[in-house]
Structures are given as structure tokens and as C-alpha cells.
Amino acid sequence: GTFSISINLEKTQNLQVEIYSADGRLVKSYNAGLLSAGEHRVGMDISRQPAGIYLIRYKTGRQDIRQRVVLLR
């Protein structure tokens, strides 16, 4: 499936999104590039991945946010 995340940036900065499987394997990496301050929505397709728990990691200049998601089939 495809999913999207919403992130609010306090200032203009680069955004990197990484998705890891439950065993720690990097499944997908996406560099959203330089984004302006404000709210942004980033979509990614992980339809080829099996059902399970995934860790989404959002990295900006000073932030490193991690969130777990469950992919159902």
C-alpha cells in the first residue's frame, strides 16, 4: 500500500524519510529535499512489502523522529 506522512517544519530544511522492517533492514529511503517552513505531506509506496510492523524515520537538520506503523494486507 501507499501511505503518507504529515510533518510540520519550523524552518526551511532538508527532509529524509527512511522505512525499516521489524528486523532492522532498510526497506525504502526517500530524500524529500529542501522544504520550506510549514506543514508538508510526503507519500511513499511500500506495496511490494509483506504485511508487518515497520519503523518510519524522519530526519531533518536537528530532528530524528521515529514512528511505528503496521502494514495490513
Side-chain angles (χ1 to χ4, degrees):
T2 301
F3 75 94
S4 63
I5 60 160
S6 181
I7 188 164
N8 191 9
L9 300 176
E10 293 179 6
K11 62 181 183 177
T12 299
Q13 54 193 319
N14 285 306
L15 174 66
Q16 176 78 26
V17 181
E18 297 172 342
I19 301 174
Y20 293 89
S21 62
D23 63 2
R25 181 178 53 89
L26 179 64
V27 171
K28 192 155 193 149
S29 180
Y30 175 70
N31 184 354
L34 189 63
L35 300 176
S36 61
E39 185 149 343
H40 297 274
R41 203 158 194 72
V42 177
M44 296 183 77
D45 180 13
I46 57 171
S47 59
R48 295 183 180 183
Q49 300 304 316
I53 298 172
Y54 292 86
L55 176 73
I56 302 174
R57 183 178 183 190
Y58 322 95
K59 296 191 296 186
T60 64
R62 293 187 175 199
Q63 292 180 307
D64 189 347
I65 302 166
R66 297 161 194 226
Q67 178 180 1
R68 286 184 191 204
V69 296
V70 176
L71 177 61
L72 302 174
R73 294 281 173 201

